[in-house]
Amino acid sequence: MGVNGVGKTTLAGKLAARLAGEGRRTLLIAADTFRAAAVEQLEAWAERAKVQMVRGREGADPAAVVHDGLAAATARGADAVLIDTAGRLHTRHNLMAELEKVRRVCERQVPGAPHHTLLVLDATLGQNGLQQAREFLRAVPVTSLAINKLDGTARGGAVLAIAEELALPVSVVGMGEALEDCAPFDPEAFARALFE
């Protein structure tokens, strides 16, 4: 989850490819039913990653799509499910409530789910990322952070403030548009890059 334009769909595709490469039966759920071409974008990533995908009709209730996707994942024996949610302004309470609804659907359908909730941040946003993280945490428990767009001039230094204040670990970084352009977070490499 995260605000508009941080690279959630791209990261979902990259993570799906990584999980599939580890031999896990992976399924993507297209719960971004509002952004034009969002489903098609995720579909392209699913094809590139060679994983299955569940989609709903355009404008469908995201929680209903997640419900159907999790039912399909169970029926197909999926090992890993990634849900691509719509971007939302962290100041729009009705959209944040929608995330809560998606979480409740996950909890009802799969024991212990969601097992991991990843907040995706854009490395170029600076201190605004801290406010975003605070607001998302109020709506849904976050497990860890992903930092995207570390391939440009952005260093992602605001992540230090977010991790310190909110005690959230960083688990993954995204560095480009290729399928393999994501990696587990390496704190030593990150620290070195901040000062290069």
Side-chain angles (χ1 to χ4, degrees):
M1 63 184 179
V3 299
N4 297 318
V6 295
K8 294 178 302 301
T9 302
T10 298
L11 185 62
K14 293 175 186 179
L15 292 174
R18 181 173 289 248
L19 291 166
E22 294 171 358
R24 298 187 196 185
R25 288 171 300 211
T26 305
L27 179 85
L28 286 165
I29 299 177
D32 183 352
T33 59
F34 300 113
R35 180 172 59 90
V39 172
E40 290 78 9
Q41 183 187 5
L42 190 65
E43 204 163 41
W45 279 105
E47 288 173 17
R48 288 173 71 186
K50 297 178 177 55
V51 300
Q52 295 183 350
M53 185 183 106
V54 171
R55 63 185 291 172
R57 64 179 177 9
E58 188 176 323
D61 175 26
V65 175
V66 169
H67 178 277
D68 294 347
L70 291 174
T74 300
R76 298 174 192 178
D79 300 311
V81 177
L82 298 166
I83 301 169
D84 182 35
T85 62
R88 58 206 65 237
L89 292 172
H90 53 289
T91 55
R92 299 283 305 273
H93 298 293
N94 59 328
L95 294 177
M96 297 301 272
E98 190 177 88
L99 278 179
E100 294 174 36
K101 184 177 175 185
V102 166
R103 181 176 177 81
R104 286 192 306 272
V105 166
C106 292
E107 289 172 339
R108 277 197 306 267
Q109 281 202 261
V110 179
H115 299 94
H116 192 90
T117 303
L118 188 62
L119 176 60
V120 183
L121 299 172
D122 182 331
T124 65
L125 287 180
Q127 290 299 318
N128 190 33
L130 177 58
Q131 186 58 32
Q132 290 174 16
R134 287 180 187 135
E135 294 302 322
F136 276 95
L137 267 171
R138 285 190 183 106
V140 178
V142 174
T143 312
S144 71
L145 303 172
I147 309 160
N148 266 342
K149 304 181 185 179
L150 277 172
D151 50 326
T153 57
R155 303 265 190 222
V159 171
L160 298 174
I162 296 167
E164 182 179 359
E165 180 181 319
L166 303 176
L168 286 173
V170 178
S171 60
V172 65
V173 295
M175 302 150 300
E177 289 294 319
L179 202 58
E180 64 279 356
D181 285 344
C182 76
F185 179 68
D186 179 340
E188 288 185 17
F190 179 77
R192 278 195 306 274
L194 280 176
F195 298 104
E196 284 180 355

